[in-house]
Amino acid sequence: MSILSVNKLEKNFGRTVVLRDITFSLEKGKCLAIIGSSGSGKTTLLRCLNFLETPSGGTISVNDQVLFDAADPSTQLESQVRMKRLHFGLVFQSFNLFPQYTALKNVTLAKELLSKERPDYKANKRHILEEIHNEGKELLKQVGLGDKMDNYPYQLSGGQQQRVAIARALAMGPDILCFDEPTSALDPELTGEVLKVIKGLADKETTMVIVTHEMAFARDVADYVIFMDGGVIVEQGPPSQVIESPQEERTRHFLERYSNG
């Protein structure tokens, strides 16, 4: 069963077409890797999925619920955007942690703020916050930072900061966890620790969409791979096809160029 369905998605910036006829689906518990050269539209696609950008055409559905339909204005209300984003957790290239807060506070902050809208918040504030903090602690333990909960971002390595960002995204319980080049801001020696955490999530059948330049990771961990070029999907399928035996010339050229680069 598809948890995410994208149909004929388009994105234009003025007269510039950035995404065209993007169509794919993702099953629950599966990992999708999106690969392609810089400027191919990968990050824009991820931003459309997270409603950081408004698509110019097409549809986005999660669990058979239409979140966006370019032909239906009722799905494009600004007041709905925040709730739509709760379906997706996003881990950025840069860590985007709040420097004034500890690792634990960075993980729990969004959920704490959202909890204030609960009708029972005033009556059960202490219990609700305690529950959120305990969940945050467990998530930090899950990403290997159980001993860093009280550390501030400046006291953490880049890899540790990115793992805090992953825990923060998980804290909201999203249907789909999205990563935008999660290792691009890391030194090579720190890349492995972040990829290990993401692989662990894949092993636990966390539904994920990952924009990545890590070909070995895409080949060994992803269930599906999409290769994009010039704002379109050139090829999609299992890694054994797209990475190991590509059918399209543009895919082969990209992989050859990447391996030679």
Side-chain angles (χ1 to χ4, degrees), residues 104-210:
L104 179 59
K105 187 68 172 181
N106 268 280
V107 171
T108 62
L109 181 61
K111 201 164 185 178
E112 288 176 19
L113 294 174
L114 195 63
S115 71
K116 294 180 179 181
E117 299 178 12
R118 291 175 48 167
D120 63 337
Y121 180 77
K122 287 186 177 180
N124 299 293
K125 177 180 177 180
R126 183 174 178 179
H127 173 73
I128 291 171
L129 293 180
E130 183 178 359
E131 188 175 74
I132 291 172
H133 287 181
N134 288 337
E135 290 173 356
K137 291 176 182 178
E138 288 303 314
L139 286 170
L140 284 172
K141 290 177 183 177
Q142 183 179 334
V143 299
L145 294 175
D147 60 339
K148 303 291 184 181
M149 297 181 188
D150 296 325
N151 288 48
Y152 290 86
Y154 77 90
Q155 298 172 310
L156 302 172
S157 70
Q160 290 170 336
Q161 290 185 59
Q162 191 64 299
R163 284 187 277 158
V164 173
I166 293 172
R168 177 179 60 187
L170 288 168
M172 299 304 293
D175 294 303
I176 302 157
L177 189 58
C178 300
F179 296 84
D180 185 12
E181 297 279 13
T183 61
S184 65
L186 299 177
D187 294 332
E189 62 268 22
L190 299 177
T191 294
E193 66 184 61
V194 172
L195 293 179
K196 182 179 179 181
V197 169
I198 299 174
K199 184 181 184 303
L201 293 172
D203 291 341
K204 293 181 180 180
E205 298 188 343
T206 304
T207 308
M208 294 186 288
V209 177
I210 305 175

Side-chain angles (χ1 to χ4, degrees), residues 15-227:
R15 295 183 178 180
T16 303
V17 178
V18 181
L19 297 176
R20 183 170 68 254
D21 196 24
I22 302 295
T23 299
F24 67 91
S25 61
L26 180 63
E27 296 178 14
K28 182 178 176 62
K30 300 298 183 181
C31 176
L32 167 66
I34 304 176
I35 63 174
S37 301
S38 177
S40 61
K42 307 184 303 296
T43 293
T44 300
L45 171 56
L46 212 59
R47 289 177 63 84
C48 285
L49 292 180
N50 285 273
F51 299 98
L52 295 173
E53 301 286 354
T54 302
S56 306
T59 65
I60 300 172
S61 300
V62 174
N63 288 323
D64 292 327
Q65 176 189 355
V66 177
L67 299 186
F68 177 86
D69 183 346
D72 183 358
S74 69
T75 67
Q76 302 171 41
L77 302 176
E78 282 294 324
S79 59
Q80 297 178 351
V81 169
R82 189 182 67 168
M83 295 307 296
K84 290 177 182 179
R85 285 179 182 157
L86 294 178
H87 292 281
F88 299 89
L90 180 58
V91 178
F92 297 89
Q93 294 181 25
S94 55
F95 321 125
N96 286 358
L97 300 181
F98 291 104
Q100 71 271 33
Y101 295 138
T102 63
L104 179 59
K105 187 68 172 181
N106 268 280
V107 171
T108 62
L109 181 61
K111 201 164 185 178
E112 288 176 19
L113 294 174
L114 195 63
S115 71
K116 294 180 179 181
E117 299 178 12
R118 291 175 48 167
D120 63 337
Y121 180 77
K122 287 186 177 180
N124 299 293
K125 177 180 177 180
R126 183 174 178 179
H127 173 73
I128 291 171
L129 293 180
E130 183 178 359
E131 188 175 74
I132 291 172
H133 287 181
N134 288 337
E135 290 173 356
K137 291 176 182 178
E138 288 303 314
L139 286 170
L140 284 172
K141 290 177 183 177
Q142 183 179 334
V143 299
L145 294 175
D147 60 339
K148 303 291 184 181
M149 297 181 188
D150 296 325
N151 288 48
Y152 290 86
Y154 77 90
Q155 298 172 310
L156 302 172
S157 70
Q160 290 170 336
Q161 290 185 59
Q162 191 64 299
R163 284 187 277 158
V164 173
I166 293 172
R168 177 179 60 187
L170 288 168
M172 299 304 293
D175 294 303
I176 302 157
L177 189 58
C178 300
F179 296 84
D180 185 12
E181 297 279 13
T183 61
S184 65
L186 299 177
D187 294 332
E189 62 268 22
L190 299 177
T191 294
E193 66 184 61
V194 172
L195 293 179
K196 182 179 179 181
V197 169
I198 299 174
K199 184 181 184 303
L201 293 172
D203 291 341
K204 293 181 180 180
E205 298 188 343
T206 304
T207 308
M208 294 186 288
V209 177
I210 305 175
V211 169
T212 184
H213 63 279
E214 302 285 349
M215 292 301 114
F217 177 84
R219 182 189 65 236
D220 298 337
V221 177
D223 298 289
Y224 309 108
V225 176
I226 284 176
F227 168 63

